[in-house]
Amino acid sequence: MMSTEPETLKGISSMATQHLLAQLADQYVHEHPVRVQIESVGGVKAEKRVLEDEPFDFVILASGAMERLAAAGKIDRDSLVGVVSSSIAVATRLGLAAPDVHSEDSIRDAVRNARTVGYSTGPSGQYILRLLEKWGIPTGSDARQPQMVEARPGVPVGSLVASGEVDIGFQQISELIDVEGINLLGLLPDPIQKTTVFSAAIASSSHRQEATRAFLRFLVSPATEPAKKAHGMSAA
């Protein structure tokens, strides 16, 4: 007797899109005879696993990582689509006076006055380090205050803020928006904002390409825009 079990699509993503993709996967399987399993890990680790030929049907990572994977032949470049855009937000721990975040000068002053500053291992974290260097704020191990704290891969910066490990933290808004115990101050102002596009593509190792292609079409469809907005992001 032939199995009636629906096929399962397996994907990997970074933590920045974890909650959004979980919601969209649930939305999709409710209407289609397929299962979708998405593992969300630190973006650097996810890229490494794909480069090492771990089998997946699709990959969803920041556009820079996806370009490297396409160049290495690990994803189908022709299937590459922008899924969502996400901007960097600022949060402080509860109990601290909330600094103004509406100008570059005010955020620079807030960082200089902080005891500790949290940032991620992903593209937003690298951007924050470059921004601090532009402001002349030391980021090395022998740096003066503030002390820079890099969140471990897969650990949200918001958790460091909530626990009091850092006074102020920067990360994609999608990774801060639902964290309890923090004061989410808002997005970086436009002059210093850095928007990251997260893209999806069929993995070269996939044996379910047609079903995967249908799922990717759903991810960029208008039906997904309310969920993207609810998570602080927008269609790419």
Side-chain angles (χ1 to χ4, degrees), residues 104-114 135:
E104 178 175 359
D105 288 346
S106 61
I107 292 179
R108 181 187 60 212
D109 291 344
V111 170
R112 283 178 171 162
N113 292 330
W135 289 339

Side-chain angles (χ1 to χ4, degrees), residues 35-112:
R35 294 174 177 169
V36 180
Q37 296 178 355
I38 306 174
E39 184 178 359
S40 296
V41 298
V44 174
K45 183 176 181 180
E47 181 180 354
K48 182 174 184 289
R49 287 170 61 179
V50 177
L51 285 170
E52 293 176 346
D53 295 322
E54 186 170 340
F56 295 102
D57 292 302
F58 60 91
V59 182
I60 304 175
L61 293 172
S63 56
M66 295 297 281
E67 177 58 36
R68 292 189 292 272
L69 292 175
K74 304 302 181 181
I75 59 174
D76 177 6
R77 186 185 292 276
D78 290 339
S79 70
L80 191 60
V81 290
V83 175
V84 72
S85 296
S86 181
S87 299
I88 301 173
V90 191
T92 57
R93 64 183 177 88
L94 294 178
L96 292 182
D100 174 34
V101 295
H102 295 97
S103 73
E104 178 175 359
D105 288 346
S106 61
I107 292 179
R108 181 187 60 212
D109 291 344
V111 170
R112 283 178 171 162

Side-chain angles (χ1 to χ4, degrees), residues 84-157:
V84 72
S85 296
S86 181
S87 299
I88 301 173
V90 191
T92 57
R93 64 183 177 88
L94 294 178
L96 292 182
D100 174 34
V101 295
H102 295 97
S103 73
E104 178 175 359
D105 288 346
S106 61
I107 292 179
R108 181 187 60 212
D109 291 344
V111 170
R112 283 178 171 162
N113 292 330
R115 177 180 55 89
T116 46
V117 178
Y119 66 99
S120 74
T121 58
S124 65
Q126 296 307 306
Y127 172 75
I128 291 300
L129 290 179
R130 292 194 300 270
L131 188 61
L132 267 58
E133 290 173 1
K134 171 190 168 186
W135 289 339
I137 299 175
T139 58
S141 59
D142 59 346
R144 304 185 304 272
Q145 294 291 345
Q147 178 185 352
M148 304 302 297
V149 179
E150 182 183 72
R152 297 179 301 281
V155 175
V157 173

